[in-house]
Amino acid sequence: MRFLLFLCCFIILFPGFSQNRKDTTRFVKIGNAPEYEITKTVSNKKNPNTVILNVTFEPYDDDYPRGIKLKIKGKTIEVKPDAYYKFSYRMQPGKFPLEFTSSGSFPLVTDTILFLKGTEVFITVQMKHQVGRAKPMKPVIYLYPEKKQEVNVQFNFNGITTFTYPTYAENGWQLTAHPNGTLEQNGKEYNYLFWEGDMDASLLHVNTSEGSIVAKNELVTFFENSLASMGLNSKEMQDFITFWVPKMQENELNYVHFLVNENYDRVSTLAVNPEPDNALRVYMVWTACHNKQLAMPLRQQIFSPLKREGFTVIEWGGSEVKNLIKDL
């Protein structure tokens, strides 16, 4: 009974402390990604008149924010995290939000937080990249049956389709496929099926710790080697290279990452009837960069070549996604 009476009196006399305790379990989210969490608040008798703010930055898609600034009550502080991406800052007590900004990331503004003097507050922050929209360009589908046959092809794009050729019907593409890759529909011949669209780039979930930095004069050789290692033939590689390289050569350097097979499903899924014996689906995500040295070291992507046996389906496409990586 004495303990309960003491506890009630404590909460009445120090309401801010109970408020701060409640915040320790709070998550603030955009989409499914937690952006900040107050992990704990403890007493700090060594600094009875101020507040010690301890911030830990966690990576988003395996990457950390750069050029971080913290704004408190109109005052902007340049943040310099240590090797563990943590930093501490002594500030005056009060009730106010924290605002974090970073190069290439969405700004993060917390709720209004009550900071009591003589406390040490620990907060974890995760900032999302400003990747914006992705426009899947020239996803093309090649069909190579063992014999001439009727084929139905349907795709389910994770966005808004803006164009198809030939025209995509309600039940997909219904056509005749030949072993050499020629497609027939309504008396017309096609080399491949084509579609384009628009989607939220964050849905690509690119692992930016993997990929390659390629100079513009090395693009052709890079794609010849990479695409051949996956199993594309000379015609498919020529179509890929002649479409993408002129666009990418506008930049001195480009970051390139491939989404292959099941990872392509983040963009679009594909259903072919009759079911092919094997399939290879390659989606390139790329962005301009300014330095071969990145904020994090890159692991090169390694691919297993496709064995082109039986009915084979090949699909490739790609998107330029701005602010995808952070170079130094």
Side-chain angles (χ1 to χ4, degrees):
M1 181 64 72
R2 290 181 179 179
F3 174 77
L4 290 176
L5 181 61
F6 169 79
L7 182 61
C8 292
C9 292
F10 184 86
I11 293 174
I12 292 172
L13 291 173
F14 301 99
F17 187 83
S18 63
Q19 172 69 31
N20 225 26
R21 295 281 293 180
K22 183 178 180 181
D23 282 347
T24 63
T25 60
R26 178 118 195 252
F27 283 87
V28 174
K29 299 185 178 183
I30 290 182
N32 293 321
E35 289 218 353
Y36 77 89
E37 177 192 2
I38 302 174
T39 56
K40 64 179 178 179
T41 300
V42 298
S43 176
N44 187 348
K45 296 181 179 178
K46 293 183 179 180
N47 298 277
N49 297 315
T50 59
V51 177
I52 304 297
L53 177 67
N54 297 287
V55 179
T56 300
F57 291 95
E58 290 191 345
Y60 180 74
D61 285 345
D62 296 318
D63 200 2
Y64 289 90
R66 290 192 308 112
I68 308 168
K69 295 181 180 180
L70 170 61
K71 189 174 182 180
I72 303 175
K73 299 174 67 175
K75 180 181 179 181
T76 301
I77 303 118
E78 295 281 348
V79 174
K80 296 182 179 180
D82 61 17
Y84 300 97
Y85 250 75
K86 299 181 178 181
F87 87 98
S88 297
Y89 179 71
R90 181 180 295 182
M91 62 185 190
Q92 295 300 311
K95 191 174 183 180
F96 45 82
L98 304 175
E99 180 178 346
F100 295 91
T101 57
S102 171
S103 174
S105 297
F106 288 106
L108 169 60
V109 182
T110 70
D111 286 344
T112 298
I113 302 171
L114 178 59
F115 296 99
L116 297 175
K117 65 180 181 180
T119 61
E120 194 165 1
V121 180
F122 294 79
I123 181 171
T124 299
V125 172
Q126 185 184 62
M127 303 184 74
K128 294 180 67 176
H129 304 328
Q130 287 182 331
V131 292
R133 307 296 297 175
K135 293 185 178 297
M137 297 183 66
K138 202 170 183 176
V140 295
I141 303 166
Y142 306 86
L143 305 174
Y144 303 99
E146 291 186 288
K147 60 182 181 181
K148 177 181 175 181
Q149 65 182 42
E150 295 299 309
V151 180
N152 179 263
V153 179
Q154 299 183 33
F155 71 94
N156 186 12
F157 174 44
N158 197 10
I160 300 172
T161 304
T162 56
F163 183 71
T164 64
Y165 187 76
T167 302
Y168 189 81
E170 185 176 347
N171 62 341
W173 285 296
Q174 189 68 42
L175 43 87
T176 303
H178 296 260
N180 66 356
T182 300
L183 307 175
E184 286 185 71
Q185 186 186 73
N186 300 326
K188 296 182 179 180
E189 292 188 354
Y190 305 89
N191 293 322
Y192 47 71
L193 304 174
F194 174 95
W195 65 270
E196 282 191 348
D198 184 12
M199 69 179 292
D200 182 349
S202 66
L203 300 176
L204 295 172
H205 299 295
V206 177
N207 179 0
T208 53
S209 66
E210 295 182 342
S212 301
I213 302 297
V214 187
K216 69 177 184 179
N217 61 342
E218 299 172 351
L219 284 167
V220 171
T221 300
F222 169 78
F223 285 132
E224 287 177 339
N225 294 334
S226 299
L227 298 175
S229 72
M230 299 179 202
L232 270 68
N233 65 25
S234 58
K235 179 185 181 304
E236 295 152 3
M237 287 192 290
Q238 181 180 356
D239 290 344
F240 186 104
I241 290 169
T242 54
F243 181 79
W244 286 113
V245 169
K247 302 177 188 299
M248 300 173 72
Q249 280 186 332
E250 296 178 4
N251 308 317
E252 292 297 324
L253 296 169
N254 290 285
Y255 165 76
V256 178
H257 182 99
F258 293 105
L259 302 175
V260 180
N261 292 335
E262 64 272 10
N263 290 329
Y264 199 134
D265 291 346
R266 305 171 195 174
V267 180
S268 175
T269 57
L270 186 66
V272 180
N273 185 26
E275 185 175 350
D277 297 300
N278 52 73
L280 174 63
R281 307 177 67 222
V282 180
Y283 195 86
M284 177 182 66
V285 184
W286 63 282
T287 190
C289 60
H290 305 92
N291 196 317
K292 281 194 173 182
Q293 184 179 6
L294 300 184
M296 293 184 67
L298 283 178
R299 295 190 299 271
Q300 297 299 306
Q301 292 183 278
I302 300 175
F303 310 102
S304 300
L306 172 75
K307 293 183 179 180
R308 302 176 74 116
E309 299 175 349
F311 181 14
T312 299
V313 172
I314 306 292
E315 181 179 13
W316 63 255
S319 290
E320 178 185 11
V321 180
K322 298 184 184 300
N323 299 319
L324 181 62
I325 59 166
K326 296 178 173 58
D327 50 350
L328 300 177

